[in-house]
Amino acid sequence: NEPVPLLRFTLPITGESLERTGLPAISPDGRHIVFVKSGQLWIRSLDALEPRQLGGTAGAQFPFWSPDSRQMAYLTATALWRVGVDGSQPIQVAPYRFSKGGRTPGGVWRSDDVIVFAPSATGSGIFSVPAQGGEFTEFYKRDPAEEGDFHRPSLLPDGRSLLLVVDHPARGAD
């Protein structure tokens, strides 16, 4: 195996700072970064010097990528949306009624085209919805004796399995 070359770059963000509900997320193909600034999604292609705003994404929070790196999903105050890297008009995937915790909710878009979201709200499980639209259903019901809530899921290399932080009522996060 050839060694992977070191890659360094900056993400020039002028004006307002990044929002904690939209920390930068690198696309699975490693070609783009998405982040939230001024309540809107911004995308930076690594072969471009400046990021560009994605129109129609007002109120965006907690962005994450599709497995093919062509789309991003994000929450607003009332619904889950998806939008293309090309800046196409956002499409509503599903409304939601779960509460969200402070800064650590997160979602993943699995290779089977299911979106899984961990709201990180005390007493909450994990929810899922088809990426093409539908209604959120409970994906994983928490065990109240052992699990307080779940934070920042990540996909494992198989594109389906999840790794996440579990907050335990008695001993804190693992």
Side-chain angles (χ1 to χ4, degrees):
N1 290 344
E2 288 187 36
V4 177
L6 177 64
L7 176 64
R8 292 181 188 192
F9 63 93
T10 61
L11 188 58
I13 300 169
T14 58
E16 297 181 37
S17 62
L18 287 179
E19 296 175 22
R20 292 177 185 217
T21 58
L23 296 175
I26 299 173
S27 63
D29 67 7
R31 296 177 55 202
H32 306 283
I33 296 175
V34 65
F35 57 93
V36 176
K37 178 181 162 190
S38 304
Q40 299 273 335
L41 284 184
W42 289 73
I43 186 169
R44 159 97 188 274
S45 296
L46 296 184
D47 62 359
L49 294 176
E50 297 294 325
R52 63 183 165 84
Q53 184 177 347
L54 294 175
T57 61
Q61 301 176 336
F62 311 111
F64 54 95
W65 288 92
S66 65
D68 65 5
S69 301
R70 293 184 186 165
Q71 298 182 73
M72 293 140 292
Y74 62 95
L75 264 63
T76 62
T78 60
L80 173 72
W81 296 78
R82 60 187 169 91
V83 65
V85 171
D86 61 2
S88 56
Q89 191 64 22
I91 297 169
Q92 183 175 314
V93 175
Y96 67 88
R97 294 182 233 345
F98 48 77
S99 296
K100 296 185 307 280
R103 297 180 294 212
T104 59
V108 294
W109 191 326
R110 295 180 356 163
S111 61
D112 59 359
D113 229 17
V114 171
I115 292 175
V116 179
F117 196 82
S120 303
T122 301
S124 176
I126 301 172
F127 300 91
S128 66
V129 63
Q132 298 308 311
E135 292 190 26
F136 274 98
T137 58
E138 193 166 46
F139 178 77
Y140 180 80
K141 185 176 178 78
R142 73 182 186 92
D143 175 355
E146 288 293 320
E147 301 158 332
D149 53 36
F150 305 93
H151 306 264
R152 301 224 176 157
S154 296
L155 280 175
L156 293 177
D158 68 5
R160 295 181 47 107
S161 301
L162 301 176
L163 176 68
L164 45 91
V165 175
V166 179
D167 193 10
H168 298 278
R171 64 181 191 269
D174 282 347

